[in-house]
Amino acid sequence: MVFARNRESASSLCQMWRDRSCGIIQKIYLATVHEWPPAATAGEIALPLAPSDQRPKWRVDSTGNGKQSLTKWTVLSRNYNHKNNHQTTLLSLIPVTGRTHQLRIHLASVGSGIVGDSLYGSDALPPPNNNNNNNENNENNNNGTTIKRWDASNQLQLHAHHLSFAHPTSGHLMEFSCKPEWMDDESIITRDINYNTYIDDR
């Protein structure tokens, strides 16, 4: 998240986000999906989006009433789990446009959606488990209180990984990156993402 410290900076940042004509704004997301075209390594998804009757959901709308939406994607890795005979794919994503739920809808339209996405993807919400003493995802702390252990399998595996923009006063390039909690091998993203090529050219 970016916060302006004065009114002038806020105005400058808002202008950059509106027109992006300077080519400095970069937003890179990471997502893990269940299914993805096996031969595809990179591409674009250009599907117009509009509000759905089932709010707060949005939907693909090809009737001419939807807002143009564009997502660029690149496959970073494909991971196969031999225990459950299941493959997931790690993607880097550039939302060239910024529509509501754009990345979640676009990925669901091509594959089966993002891991942990119960709104657009194929993952249903996990049933509630009130038996804290027998839940393997729980553990007891020193005072005997049961606390829930963080479980990545139930999380939406969509993460805002990298953001860069021009400083509103000095014009210097500001860059910020962070690794998602659900990722074990950080070398994948540091090795395979060339941040200099991810310029928003809308």
Side-chain angles (χ1 to χ4, degrees), residues 54-107:
Q54 303 175 1
R55 301 304 297 269
K57 295 182 70 173
W58 281 51
R59 59 183 173 83
V60 174
D61 187 335
S62 302
T63 65
N65 296 321
K67 295 182 177 180
Q68 294 300 314
S69 306
L70 177 62
T71 299
K72 297 182 179 181
W73 58 268
T74 302
V75 172
L76 295 180
S77 67
R78 299 181 189 270
N79 310 291
Y80 187 77
N81 189 323
H82 294 278
K83 291 183 179 179
N84 56 18
N85 194 31
H86 181 67
Q87 177 175 286
T88 57
T89 302
L90 176 65
L91 304 172
S92 65
L93 307 167
I94 304 175
V96 179
T97 52
R99 311 303 180 198
T100 301
H101 297 171
Q102 173 180 316
L103 298 179
R104 298 169 69 178
I105 300 172
H106 277 180
L107 298 190

Side-chain angles (χ1 to χ4, degrees), residues 83-201:
K83 291 183 179 179
N84 56 18
N85 194 31
H86 181 67
Q87 177 175 286
T88 57
T89 302
L90 176 65
L91 304 172
S92 65
L93 307 167
I94 304 175
V96 179
T97 52
R99 311 303 180 198
T100 301
H101 297 171
Q102 173 180 316
L103 298 179
R104 298 169 69 178
I105 300 172
H106 277 180
L107 298 190
S109 69
V110 173
S112 61
I114 300 173
V115 171
D117 191 351
S118 61
L119 189 61
Y120 298 102
S122 58
D123 282 345
L125 285 172
N129 190 337
N130 297 321
N131 188 359
N132 289 331
N133 293 328
N134 296 326
N135 188 349
E136 64 180 5
N137 288 326
N138 293 341
E139 58 185 11
N140 294 325
N141 61 14
N142 293 333
N143 61 13
T145 303
T146 301
I147 58 175
K148 185 160 183 68
R149 185 182 303 156
W150 185 82
D151 184 3
S153 64
N154 295 334
Q155 304 299 312
L156 176 66
Q157 294 195 15
L158 173 65
H159 176 75
H161 166 61
H162 181 81
L163 173 66
S164 66
F165 56 92
H167 190 282
T169 303
S170 67
H172 294 160
L173 181 64
M174 309 292 293
E175 295 187 274
F176 307 91
S177 298
C178 63
K179 181 182 79 72
E181 290 182 295
W182 41 262
M183 176 175 288
D184 295 326
D185 186 5
E186 187 177 1
S187 65
I188 295 174
I189 55 178
T190 57
R191 181 184 68 241
D192 295 337
I193 295 181
N194 182 356
Y195 299 106
N196 293 328
T197 65
Y198 285 79
I199 301 296
D200 189 337
D201 58 359

Side-chain angles (χ1 to χ4, degrees), residues 14-29:
C14 288
Q15 183 62 35
M16 275 191 279
W17 252 262
R18 276 196 298 266
D19 59 31
R20 303 183 188 178
S21 59
C22 59
I24 293 297
I25 298 294
Q26 293 185 25
K27 292 186 291 183
I28 302 176
Y29 288 75

